[in-house]
Amino acid sequence: MPKTQMPLASAELPTCPYCRGPRGPGLFCTTCNRFNRYPNSPIVAASRLRRCGGYILELTLLLATLGIGWLIWLAFVAPRAQTPAKSLLGIYTVGEDGAPVSAGKVWVREILVKSICGALVPLVNALWIFIDRDRQALHDKIVETVIVYAPHGLDATAPSSNSSPSVLQEELDALAQARDRGAITIYEYEARRQRLLGRR
């Protein structure tokens, strides 16, 4: 008789070192929405509602500025991994590794890939974020990007493209465990965390 595979108990699922909830199989923790590779980073997945608001706001700005003003604005905010609407909503475009994308990739994503997807399958492209576990639209899947919410900006605490998470992540995890055991206060934890992150 073939064995039936039993579902994993919640205790056996990988847990997030930041919130101690189940991480899930996607790029983001299913409990706190932080990057699974960088759980101690302040950036989280942008909500589906914020992403929808971004679509509407982007279209409004594009029409209001007749496209020209939007393109000029994009030239200023693309180096920060943003578009005009994203700059107003505190959201950013990052790679699937958590690193902010280059200005060139912002232009390719917005002007080329997003336009093609929007022209060919506009409704599917827009609504894909509601069925995708990482809240990616079709154009995000193509260029391997995700949208994150960082109201205070992608500062030095955000992962960079040349950073290696292994050693730093181990230190951050150990620090979080010390906080959870009560060995250090939340204030000591935050101060040490900032020192570790600023070291990169």
Side-chain angles (χ1 to χ4, degrees):
M1 181 181 232
K3 289 185 180 179
T4 56
Q5 190 171 4
M6 298 294 291
L8 286 173
S10 59
E12 296 172 344
L13 291 172
T15 56
C16 171
Y18 185 85
C19 69
R20 300 298 179 211
R23 287 191 305 187
L27 295 172
F28 299 98
C29 171
T30 56
T31 308
C32 66
N33 290 326
R34 291 173 187 266
F35 260 104
N36 278 333
R37 287 185 67 201
Y38 299 95
N40 289 291
S41 170
I43 58 176
V44 297
S47 69
R48 290 176 172 89
L49 184 61
R50 191 174 292 273
R51 288 216 60 185
C52 285
Y55 279 126
I56 295 167
L57 183 57
E58 205 80 76
L59 184 58
T60 304
L61 293 172
L62 193 61
L63 295 173
T65 62
L66 304 175
I68 303 301
W70 185 88
L71 288 171
I72 294 169
W73 194 346
L74 182 63
F76 283 99
V77 296
R80 299 197 312 254
Q82 290 181 302
T83 63
K86 287 179 177 63
S87 67
L88 296 175
L89 295 174
I91 55 180
Y92 296 80
T93 305
V94 301
E96 291 180 347
D97 61 352
V101 298
S102 65
K105 193 159 188 177
V106 171
W107 282 91
V108 169
R109 179 186 181 274
E110 295 297 321
I111 305 300
L112 182 62
V113 181
K114 196 172 180 180
S115 298
I116 292 172
C117 288
L120 296 177
V121 282
L123 195 59
V124 174
N125 184 50
L127 296 179
W128 199 263
I129 61 172
F130 290 99
I131 61 171
D132 188 80
R133 69 184 175 202
D134 295 318
R135 305 170 196 183
Q136 290 175 295
L138 288 182
H139 57 269
D140 288 310
K141 292 287 188 187
I142 293 169
V143 294
E144 300 179 340
T145 57
V146 289
I147 305 302
V148 297
Y149 177 55
H152 303 296
L154 292 178
D155 55 13
T157 60
S160 62
S161 57
N162 58 1
S163 65
S164 173
S166 54
V167 176
L168 176 63
Q169 193 60 58
E170 286 175 9
E171 293 181 16
L172 290 169
D173 290 347
L175 192 60
Q177 289 169 8
R179 175 201 62 194
D180 295 341
R181 288 195 315 268
I184 58 174
T185 67
I186 188 69
Y187 303 107
E188 290 173 315
Y189 163 76
E190 190 58 34
R192 292 185 192 180
R193 187 176 77 90
Q194 291 297 333
R195 281 199 296 272
L196 282 173
L197 292 168
R199 209 175 59 188
R200 279 195 299 208

